Amino acid sequence: MESIREIYKVGKGPSSSHTMGPRKAALEFLAKNEKAIKFKVTLFGSLALTGKGHLTDKAIEEVFKGKPIEIVWKPEETKEFHSNAMLFQAFGENDSMQADELVYSVGGGRIVNDSEKDKIQMESNLYPYRTMAGILDWSQQTGKSFWEYVFEVEGDDFEDFLTDIWSQMKQTILNGLENEGVLPGPLGLRRKASSYHVRSKTMGKHLQNNSLLFAYALATSEENACGGIVVTAPTCGSCGILPAVLLFLQKSYDFTDRKIIRALATAGLIGNLIKENASISGAEVGCQGEVGAACSMASAAAAQLVGGSTSQIEYAAEMGLEHHLGLTCDPIAGLVQAPCIERNAHGAVRAIDTASFAILSDGTHLVSFDETVEAMKQTGHDLPSLYKETSLGGLAKFSKRREGYM
Ligand code: SF4
């Protein structure tokens, strides 16, 4: 299992797999082929189907700016290793090809070169325990909690890393609460975070809590939709949930930044386990791997913050994922806007609900977190590709607003 630094990445939205990953791949390819005269990038499968809405072409063109580049879309061709594949080619004099590289964007902003794909499993062994069961056993033997396990594995400077991540998460929420207007793209959706935040101040306690969670989650997700700077948690599409839950709890109970950072460590561990044993890529397993994973992370973080035991935290994480099983990815017009933005707002409220439910229990429950992760993986593989970030099924197919835009 890799470092949690791979879960939390700071970068421009709107999509970790369709924007951040391709941008990173383009930067690396350009650095290796600076002398080439022109370039060609072919996008396959899901990257080609929803790449326009997710601004994949813009992200790549921005990197190559000033150099001739052709983008080719091949939605009908899907590579076996992962559906988010892109072929970079560099040309010299007389159109002679100087270099080519097939790269996959496998979720959460991570890229994998075709020639290295078999080595991934061998390299990712930073964490000695790769399942929740193993970590719970360790916890029972040592008396330590999840965040202590993360800090022990990640090393001394990890607290500083999480401090920066938390500070960017808060900044993104502030930006999103401040900015108003219409989101980019053809759907004509207005930003809601600012007005929800103002209205929350006039409401009774229960409605106010939900409204604040909505406002914070909307703020981050709307920033993401506008290509603003966000932190993947674990992806761009699902980046609104965890920061909203953490800020809401910090403001409600005066938690110190230190406590929030420990909760971030635990949330990162949960995201890492899901990524290791299933997937956090909407193109691979649908939205259960993005919003489901984010809700699971936030639920675990919330349970820890309010004093949950390790088994209660595990239960909270399990429920956050379990109740998103089967959730499809069907973004209208290929944009990370609808259903994505509202889904983050509801995911934040659900994370608080599942954490409360777990805290009321003694931590015992029927289905373990590891089993739910396995079920999510299988469900994702059984889902038809229509529902895995292709915008060919579900809401993307039936919403009238999509007409003329695909
Ligand atoms: S529907 Fe979910 S998985 Fe798909 S793009 Fe939106 S947030 Fe990501």
Side-chain angles (χ1 to χ4, degrees), residues 14-15 54 235-239 280-283 286-291 327-331 334-341 343-344 387-389:
S15 167
H54 285 49
T235 64
C236 284
S238 59
C239 67
I280 55 164
S281 163
C287 199
Q288 52 174 357
E290 295 206 15
V291 163
L327 191 65
T328 57
C329 168
D330 49 1
L335 298 162
V336 193
Q337 295 184 9
C340 321
I341 296 174
R343 195 168 277 177
N344 274 261
Y387 304 113
K388 293 191 272 193
E389 215 162 358

Side-chain angles (χ1 to χ4, degrees), residues 58-76:
K58 300 274 176 296
I60 293 172
E61 282 163 2
E62 217 175 273
V63 173
F64 286 95
K65 69 176 168 250
K67 304 212 178 232
I69 177 160
E70 181 192 2
I71 308 264
V72 179
W73 307 83
K74 286 203 173 169
E76 69 291 347

Side-chain angles (χ1 to χ4, degrees), residues 73-131:
W73 307 83
K74 286 203 173 169
E76 69 291 347
E77 193 176 331
T78 302
K79 301 288 177 194
E80 202 187 325
F81 177 67
H82 198 283
S83 65
N84 288 334
M86 57 206 134
L87 176 67
F88 288 86
Q89 292 171 301
F91 299 90
E93 299 288 346
N94 305 320
D95 283 349
S96 59
M97 199 166 65
Q98 295 186 334
D100 66 338
E101 220 166 273
L102 183 60
V103 186
Y104 306 94
S105 180
V106 297
R110 168 122 201 252
I111 54 165
V112 173
N113 196 303
D114 193 53
S115 57
E116 292 167 351
K117 65 180 191 289
D118 299 330
K119 285 196 258 157
I120 302 177
Q121 210 60 30
M122 283 151 43
E123 281 171 0
S124 42
N125 56 2
L126 179 65
Y127 280 78
Y129 302 108
R130 304 161 83 107
T131 62

Side-chain angles (χ1 to χ4, degrees), residues 28-330:
E28 287 183 8
F29 188 74
L30 180 61
K32 283 186 245 167
N33 299 284
E34 267 180 349
K35 295 205 171 109
I37 293 172
K38 68 174 188 177
F39 297 88
K40 182 172 166 183
V41 183
T42 308
L43 304 171
F44 300 96
S46 164
L47 267 188
L49 280 160
T50 52
K52 284 215 168 80
H54 285 49
L55 309 179
T56 307
D57 48 344
K58 300 274 176 296
I60 293 172
E61 282 163 2
E62 217 175 273
V63 173
F64 286 95
K65 69 176 168 250
K67 304 212 178 232
I69 177 160
E70 181 192 2
I71 308 264
V72 179
W73 307 83
K74 286 203 173 169
E76 69 291 347
E77 193 176 331
T78 302
K79 301 288 177 194
E80 202 187 325
F81 177 67
H82 198 283
S83 65
N84 288 334
M86 57 206 134
L87 176 67
F88 288 86
Q89 292 171 301
F91 299 90
E93 299 288 346
N94 305 320
D95 283 349
S96 59
M97 199 166 65
Q98 295 186 334
D100 66 338
E101 220 166 273
L102 183 60
V103 186
Y104 306 94
S105 180
V106 297
R110 168 122 201 252
I111 54 165
V112 173
N113 196 303
D114 193 53
S115 57
E116 292 167 351
K117 65 180 191 289
D118 299 330
K119 285 196 258 157
I120 302 177
Q121 210 60 30
M122 283 151 43
E123 281 171 0
S124 42
N125 56 2
L126 179 65
Y127 280 78
Y129 302 108
R130 304 161 83 107
T131 62
M132 177 63 87
I135 299 167
L136 283 173
D137 278 351
W138 171 88
S139 166
Q140 231 165 19
Q141 282 162 25
T142 59
K144 294 182 182 176
S145 192
F146 296 116
W147 67 267
E148 289 168 293
Y149 174 55
V150 171
F151 276 56
E152 278 186 19
V153 171
E154 297 277 353
D156 291 343
D157 59 343
F158 194 60
E159 192 164 344
D160 293 342
F161 167 77
L162 287 183
T163 303
D164 291 346
I165 289 296
W166 177 228
S167 141
Q168 180 58 54
M169 283 177 163
K170 284 189 286 187
Q171 188 56 53
T172 304
I173 292 180
L174 283 178
N175 294 346
L177 292 177
E178 192 61 28
N179 291 328
E180 295 179 77
V182 177
L183 298 174
L187 298 181
L189 295 175
R190 274 199 78 74
R191 283 177 176 253
K192 294 191 179 105
S194 175
S195 62
Y196 274 44
H197 190 233
V198 172
R199 281 183 214 151
S200 72
K201 295 177 183 168
T202 64
M203 291 175 169
K205 192 70 188 150
H206 178 71
L207 276 180
Q208 185 173 63
N209 285 347
N210 278 2
S211 311
L212 277 174
L213 277 165
F214 288 152
Y216 295 156
L218 289 170
T220 298
S221 291
E222 287 172 356
E223 277 300 294
N224 179 60
C226 291
I229 304 278
V230 298
V231 179
T232 56
T235 64
C236 284
S238 59
C239 67
I241 297 173
L242 180 61
V245 166
L246 293 177
L247 189 63
F248 169 75
L249 289 175
Q250 184 171 49
K251 284 185 180 278
S252 303
Y253 299 103
D254 285 332
F255 289 127
T256 59
D257 278 343
R258 200 134 202 233
K259 284 211 184 293
I260 297 291
I261 279 155
R262 290 171 181 165
L264 264 178
T266 296
L269 181 65
I270 299 299
N272 226 3
L273 286 168
I274 296 172
K275 184 173 135 190
E276 171 78 11
N277 296 305
S279 170
I280 55 164
S281 163
E284 219 173 358
V285 292
C287 199
Q288 52 174 357
E290 295 206 15
V291 163
C295 182
S296 177
M297 292 164 67
S299 184
Q304 174 174 305
L305 278 168
V306 298
S309 64
T310 46
S311 51
Q312 286 170 325
I313 296 168
E314 184 262 353
Y315 188 15
E318 188 279 321
M319 274 187 286
L321 186 62
E322 177 184 332
H323 302 297
H324 285 98
L325 284 181
L327 191 65
T328 57
C329 168
D330 49 1

